[in-house]
Amino acid sequence: HTLRSDEKKCGIRSVITKTETRGPYTRPFTVYFVHTKTAFKVKSVCKRFSDFKELDQKLKRTHATFHTQFPPDQLFNSMTPEFVSERRKQLQTFLDESMAIPEIATDADLHDFLGIPEYNNQAQEEDLKHQARERQRQVKPEDSKPETFLKVIEKAKLDSDRISEAQGFNALGL
C-alpha cells in the first residue's frame, strides 16, 4: 500500500526556539528564532511579529479555506517577558496548525517565510525517485531471465533498433 499524495504528512517541522529583544530603547521589538527541519536541510531564520502577520495575510488571500487563529496585536506591555513568552506559544500554535493543512504545508509563501524556498522541488524529486524504485521492485522475475533479454535483442535486430539491442546486450553482461 502506497500513500496517495493527499495522505502524506508534511515533511517539515518548525519550532520557535527562542526570542530576543532588539532595537533602540525607545522602539524595542522582539525577534523569534524559527528553527526548521526538513528531510533535506536544517534552517534557522529570525522573524518579527509583523513577518508572521504578513504570512497570515498572504495565506488567507491565496487559500479561502485557511482560517487559523492568529494572535492579536498589542500596543502596551508588549515587551514584558510574560507577554513575549505567551506570544511565542501563540505563534508556535499558528505555525503548527498551518502546517497541519496539506495545501498550506506545500505553499511557496510559507516555505519562503521558513527560509526553505526550494522544498517543494526537492520533495517532488524525492517522490519521483520513490516512484521509480517502486516500479523497479515490481519487475517480474522472468524479466531478468537471459531468455527475455535474448528476445529483446532479436526484436531489436528485426526493428533495426541499435539502442534496444545494445541495452539487451548490456543487461546480459556482454
Side-chain angles (χ1 to χ4, degrees), residues 101-116:
I101 303 168
E103 67 180 30
I104 303 297
T106 58
D107 188 273
D109 287 329
L110 175 66
H111 296 168
D112 287 342
F113 176 83
L114 297 173
I116 54 168

Side-chain angles (χ1 to χ4, degrees), residues 13-20 30-37 43-49 52 70-71 84-96 99 113-114:
R13 176 69 178 126
S14 290
V15 178
I16 301 173
T17 56
K18 68 178 184 172
T19 60
E20 190 175 282
T30 302
V31 292
Y32 301 87
F33 291 82
V34 182
H35 186 79
T36 301
K37 184 176 181 180
K43 181 76 176 186
S44 291
V45 293
C46 294
K47 298 292 180 178
R48 293 176 67 168
F49 178 77
F52 281 91
F70 190 77
V84 170
S85 177
E86 185 59 32
R87 164 93 25 106
R88 186 192 67 74
K89 291 175 189 170
Q90 292 170 342
L91 291 173
Q92 182 65 57
T93 299
F94 167 76
L95 278 177
D96 292 343
M99 289 191 289
F113 176 83
L114 297 173

